[in-house]
Amino acid sequence: MAVHAVVRETWFGLAAGLITPGRIGEFSLVYFLQDAVDEGDTVAVAILDKALTVFVLLAYAAIGTYLYTSISAVSVIIVSIGFVLITALLAVNPGVQTWLGNTLSYYGYETLRDHVIMAFDRLRSLARRPSVIGVNTALTFVKWGLTGAMFYTLFGGFDVSIPLFDHVILSSYMTLSSLIPISLSGLGVRETVGIGLYTAIFGVSSATTAAVVLLALCIRYAFALGVYTWGVISS
């Protein structure tokens, strides 16, 4: 499959994540790639990518916990590593696959069972390729670094000078809060957390922070609209 096609469908998934609770819409990548890639492969990649994203966000949050509070970051790091290890163990454990498959069969979900078993097989295959996981993790760190750079630029427009790495950490906190399935893509939750953090830690006025997070929100949805328009035109 061509690289540009994978990029396009991935962007469709990211755009869908902006209008679904907990950003679960990003799993729509499975639907967008169903005609070109085996569903088991796509589900496995989507699950692994989501797990690594949460791990990276927790890693940044652990650093922030150490920098901004008196709480040791060690406990947060342990939780982060534990989350990834438990996910990995479950993914590669044949017993879990058998139990889940039997449960789905019992309730009559034979087709879903086949897809789940296929996804588990692909996850085990990916787990045997540490280089793939390593590259994906590194790129995920860079991805959230770019998100921090966006906030660095936006705050700079209001003459607020905060180190870039601090923006990366705070944006990670904000994104983690958006994973709580309260509203569409954490709408309102992420912005409230951002206003509270920037005000409490750096003393930035609530009005300035609100303006920045709203601008960031507009950028995200402008991106989603652009991707949707691209999809309509290209189809």
Side-chain angles (χ1 to χ4, degrees):
M1 186 174 183
V3 175
H4 76 274
V6 175
V7 172
R8 184 186 64 185
E9 307 302 348
T10 301
W11 281 3
F12 286 163
L14 292 174
L18 293 175
I19 57 173
T20 52
R23 303 176 71 91
I24 59 175
E26 293 178 7
F27 283 99
S28 60
L29 179 66
V30 178
Y31 169 78
F32 292 129
L33 291 177
Q34 63 179 339
D35 294 331
V37 182
D38 183 88
E39 290 182 353
D41 289 335
T42 314
V43 170
V45 169
I47 292 174
L48 179 62
D49 180 70
K50 187 63 102 174
L52 291 178
T53 295
V54 173
F55 171 74
V56 169
L57 291 173
L58 286 173
Y60 277 130
I63 298 173
T65 302
Y66 176 78
L67 292 177
Y68 307 137
T69 72
S70 58
I71 302 175
S72 172
V74 175
S75 59
V76 184
I77 294 175
I78 291 176
V79 171
S80 304
I81 295 175
F83 171 82
V84 174
L85 289 178
I86 292 174
T87 302
L89 290 174
L90 289 175
V92 300
N93 190 329
V96 173
Q97 174 181 327
T98 301
W99 171 82
L100 190 55
N102 291 338
T103 301
L104 291 173
S105 295
Y106 177 79
Y107 288 102
Y109 298 108
E110 297 292 339
T111 302
L112 178 59
R113 179 188 69 85
D114 294 339
H115 290 321
V116 169
I117 289 177
M118 192 180 303
F120 268 84
D121 289 338
R122 300 302 190 275
L123 279 173
R124 281 201 295 274
S125 177
L126 286 172
R128 299 188 189 100
R129 302 176 63 185
S131 60
V132 173
I133 296 177
V135 170
N136 191 293
T137 303
L139 291 176
T140 303
F141 272 105
V142 173
K143 169 187 173 182
W144 294 112
L146 293 175
T147 300
M150 177 184 70
F151 281 99
Y152 177 84
T153 303
L154 291 175
F155 273 103
F158 289 90
D159 295 323
V160 176
S161 180
I162 298 174
L164 173 61
F165 191 65
D166 291 295
H167 287 292
V168 174
I169 292 175
L170 294 189
S171 64
S172 298
Y173 277 120
M174 294 165 62
T175 303
L176 279 172
S177 70
S178 72
L179 297 179
I180 303 173
I182 297 176
S183 61
L184 298 180
S185 187
L187 187 63
V189 178
R190 176 181 53 242
E191 288 72 28
T192 301
V193 169
I195 292 172
L197 288 174
Y198 277 102
T199 300
I201 297 174
F202 295 106
V204 182
S205 71
S206 298
T208 299
T209 307
V212 168
V213 296
L214 287 177
L215 282 172
L217 181 66
C218 290
I219 291 173
R220 291 190 184 94
Y221 282 95
F223 164 78
L225 179 60
V227 170
Y228 175 77
T229 304
W230 178 27
V232 171
I233 294 175
S234 62
S235 61

